[in-house]
Amino acid sequence: MKNALRTLVLFFVLFAGSVSAQTKIGHINFQQLLSVMPERAAATKQMETHGKNLENQLAELQKDFQTKLAEYQKASTTMTDIVRSTKEGELRDMQQRIQTFQQAAQQDVQKKQQELFQPILEKAQTAVKKVAKEQGMTYVLDTSTGVVLYQSNESIDILPLVKVALGIK
């Protein structure tokens, strides 16, 4: 993906001389834009709270496991084979539930992140498109990806304009 994007940018740079004088190219550090959007702070806080809740639940499961494991280890020498086998099975089941919970929690965090940040991303992209159209730009390059091979002084940084469009100071 990066190579394709670099090739595309290189194409623009190499053939800039043959592009008509009406072509306007702008640039924006999209990550910087996202970092100053007020919605991002609220979404980040929600993600931290959600993650902390899942961590607390996991810690509770692990604590229960450690307690049962300690009880097993303490009493294992006096247990009959069938009781020992049953307790070991219970411990294995608990470990499996913990692993399943960890995997599910990881997927849940990713889903929550997508749910919270996708609208912010879409809002920023919409604002970039709006400003680019208002400014009559043909292309807008994202300088945060590190793919821009050359940036002349004639390239217009539209970050300040997009911030105004979003009402961000």
Side-chain angles (χ1 to χ4, degrees):
M1 181 72 176
K2 275 190 173 182
N3 287 338
L5 195 53
R6 285 185 183 161
T7 303
L8 183 62
V9 171
L10 181 60
F11 173 80
F12 289 136
V13 171
L14 290 176
F15 293 101
S18 65
V19 177
S20 78
Q22 296 175 355
T23 300
K24 285 176 79 176
I25 299 174
H27 65 273
I28 187 169
N29 184 321
F30 199 70
Q31 292 304 315
Q32 185 179 0
L33 172 63
L34 292 174
S35 73
V36 297
M37 292 181 71
E39 300 93 333
R40 184 185 149 285
T44 300
K45 185 173 173 97
Q46 284 183 10
M47 280 300 302
E48 288 171 357
T49 301
H50 186 68
K52 192 68 170 166
N53 288 340
L54 291 172
E55 285 176 18
N56 290 341
Q57 291 175 20
L58 178 60
E60 213 34 63
L61 289 172
Q62 290 172 332
K63 181 181 172 187
D64 290 345
F65 175 76
Q66 290 300 324
T67 300
K68 290 201 185 264
L69 179 62
E71 289 171 1
Y72 166 78
Q73 289 172 337
K74 186 176 180 180
S76 66
T77 55
T78 60
M79 292 180 186
T80 63
D81 288 342
I82 193 151
V83 171
R84 184 178 302 110
S85 177
T86 302
K87 294 287 184 186
E88 288 170 357
E90 289 172 2
L91 290 170
R92 278 192 300 275
D93 289 346
M94 284 185 80
Q95 277 184 317
Q96 183 61 42
R97 283 195 306 273
I98 290 171
Q99 288 175 350
T100 300
F101 180 84
Q102 285 175 318
Q103 292 169 352
Q106 202 170 34
Q107 291 171 350
D108 186 57
V109 164
Q110 289 172 351
K111 181 181 171 189
K112 186 74 165 178
Q113 184 176 20
Q114 176 74 15
E115 173 187 310
L116 291 172
F117 287 97
Q118 188 62 34
I120 298 168
L121 182 64
E122 288 172 3
K123 182 178 180 181
Q125 288 171 335
T126 300
V128 167
K129 287 176 186 175
K130 178 182 177 222
V131 168
K133 285 180 184 177
E134 288 172 356
Q135 297 297 313
M137 295 184 179
T138 308
Y139 302 102
V140 175
L141 306 174
D142 181 3
T143 57
S144 66
T145 61
V147 178
V148 177
L149 300 175
Y150 172 76
Q151 177 180 325
S152 75
N153 291 336
E154 285 119 34
S155 176
I156 300 166
D157 183 2
I158 66 169
L159 179 62
L161 299 172
V162 174
K163 286 166 101 177
V164 168
L166 289 171
I168 300 171
K169 293 183 182 195

